[in-house]
Amino acid sequence: MRSTYLTPNPLYLFSMFHYFIVEYPLRDVFSERGDKGWLRSLFVHKVDARKDAHSNLLSKKETSNLYKIQFHNVKPECLEAYNSLQVEVQTRLHLDQDYPCEVVGSWNTWYGDQDQAVHLWRYRGGYPALTECLNKLRNNKEYLEFRKERAKMLISRRNQLLLEFSFWNEPLPRPGPNIYELRTYKLKPGTMIEWGNHWARAIKYRQENNEAVGGFFSQIGDLYVVHHLWAYKSLQSREETRNSAWLKEGWDSSVYYTGTGNTHTHSVTS
């Protein structure tokens, strides 16, 4: 569904996508490999867009994580079978130490694009880890059979490679059940640094209820795209948490200025 929470300013916001997505039963398995606690980097200096590439200015220096987000549009009659097959294969890859990848989360959409699955992968070691994983999968006969079977269930699919913002939490396992909201922003070229500077301040207003899961910006695939992932116990909890942010001095201006570079916004909940 289209979001009405930001009033677009023509300066740099192209669009926003708004998804509500629901995590299907992978959390307990994935948490076995997760780190404990939260990594929070809330105090980030303002960066100068002229000094370096966005990937160096905005991403975490203490990690070399690369993320891949996948959007799979599934044939409605195949969604249950797709989820079962996907869980089985993802679990094997997640727990196999020979593959330098791990599943951060997998979700089905509740509100937004229907019959869609969203998967978020993390590659600890960056592009070399991604390349190693892809090379191994090309020679994995079971995985190749899985891809053939999965293809029969899909209408379309797309993906992006992402880096995480330095000032966001690192996405780690959390107790559930939860609903997740993925808010996707399409920025005007040249405005990513301004976006990062404003959200480095704005994120401090959204930490009290542990709702901030992760923030990412695209490197390969659709460019100038930002994803914010939030978690709530319920839709009512989401409303109360978002309303409480508006009571904090400074949140209103943060929302306004981050809307000035956004051309399109989309939100999905699961």
Side-chain angles (χ1 to χ4, degrees), residues 218-236:
S218 61
Q219 286 290 285
I220 296 178
D222 291 337
L223 298 179
Y224 309 109
V225 173
V226 170
H227 299 287
H228 290 174
L229 184 60
W230 308 92
Y232 306 97
K233 293 300 181 184
S234 65
L235 289 176
Q236 182 62 35

Side-chain angles (χ1 to χ4, degrees), residues 201-216:
R201 295 187 292 270
I203 192 63
K204 66 182 181 181
Y205 301 110
R206 299 296 307 275
Q207 296 285 347
E208 290 183 2
N209 294 317
N210 199 29
E211 70 266 28
V213 177
F216 313 91

Side-chain angles (χ1 to χ4, degrees), residues 22-26 72 74 78-91 106-109 115-119 146 150 153:
V22 62
E23 188 173 35
Y24 52 83
L26 297 171
H72 290 173
V74 185
C78 296
L79 187 58
E80 184 175 349
Y82 167 91
N83 284 342
S84 298
L85 181 64
Q86 191 76 23
V87 166
E88 179 183 354
V89 174
Q90 283 185 339
T91 301
S106 283
W107 303 271
N108 289 145
T109 57
D115 304 309
Q116 185 181 73
V118 181
H119 311 292
F146 155 72
R150 185 187 66 182
M153 306 178 185

Side-chain angles (χ1 to χ4, degrees), residues 72-235:
H72 290 173
N73 294 312
V74 185
K75 296 176 182 178
E77 67 274 15
C78 296
L79 187 58
E80 184 175 349
Y82 167 91
N83 284 342
S84 298
L85 181 64
Q86 191 76 23
V87 166
E88 179 183 354
V89 174
Q90 283 185 339
T91 301
R92 290 182 185 179
L93 289 176
H94 181 85
L95 297 177
D96 191 335
Q97 298 297 323
D98 288 336
Y99 290 87
C101 63
E102 54 190 335
V103 185
V104 177
S106 283
W107 303 271
N108 289 145
T109 57
W110 273 3
Y111 303 104
D113 295 331
Q114 298 292 283
D115 304 309
Q116 185 181 73
V118 181
H119 311 292
L120 184 63
W121 294 82
R122 175 164 49 215
Y123 299 86
R124 295 193 185 274
Y127 291 108
L130 171 66
T131 301
E132 178 186 350
C133 190
L134 292 178
N135 288 337
K136 288 181 176 179
L137 289 175
R138 289 192 185 102
N139 297 309
N140 185 322
K141 292 183 179 180
E142 284 186 309
Y143 183 77
L144 295 178
E145 287 300 318
F146 155 72
R147 284 175 59 92
K148 290 180 182 179
E149 189 65 25
R150 185 187 66 182
K152 301 174 184 177
M153 306 178 185
L154 295 181
I155 299 172
S156 64
R157 60 192 177 98
R158 62 185 175 91
N159 61 22
Q160 291 175 318
L161 295 182
L162 314 170
L163 294 177
E164 55 187 329
F165 283 110
S166 60
F167 46 85
W168 269 79
N169 306 324
E170 180 179 355
L172 296 172
R174 57 175 60 212
N178 299 292
I179 63 168
Y180 291 82
E181 180 179 14
L182 180 65
R183 298 174 71 88
T184 299
Y185 306 84
K186 177 69 174 177
L187 307 186
K188 290 183 179 178
T191 62
M192 185 67 73
I193 297 298
E194 289 86 347
W195 177 277
N197 284 330
H198 285 299
W199 266 98
R201 295 187 292 270
I203 192 63
K204 66 182 181 181
Y205 301 110
R206 299 296 307 275
Q207 296 285 347
E208 290 183 2
N209 294 317
N210 199 29
E211 70 266 28
V213 177
F216 313 91
F217 59 99
S218 61
Q219 286 290 285
I220 296 178
D222 291 337
L223 298 179
Y224 309 109
V225 173
V226 170
H227 299 287
H228 290 174
L229 184 60
W230 308 92
Y232 306 97
K233 293 300 181 184
S234 65
L235 289 176

Side-chain angles (χ1 to χ4, degrees), residues 12-67:
Y12 72 116
L13 178 61
F14 278 128
S15 57
M16 173 179 169
F17 294 93
H18 186 196
Y19 294 88
F20 280 100
I21 50 182
V22 62
E23 188 173 35
Y24 52 83
L26 297 171
R27 174 177 48 81
D28 293 339
V29 173
F30 297 160
S31 63
E32 294 175 8
R33 190 167 159 180
D35 299 324
K36 302 297 183 181
W38 286 92
L39 173 64
R40 295 184 178 180
S41 305
L42 299 182
F43 303 102
V44 180
H45 65 282
K46 186 175 182 179
V47 296
D48 189 333
R50 298 169 296 179
K51 298 294 185 181
D52 206 344
H54 293 170
S55 58
N56 294 328
L57 291 172
L58 296 173
S59 62
K60 283 184 168 68
K61 300 296 189 297
E62 63 271 25
T63 67
S64 56
N65 293 338
L66 179 70
Y67 292 83

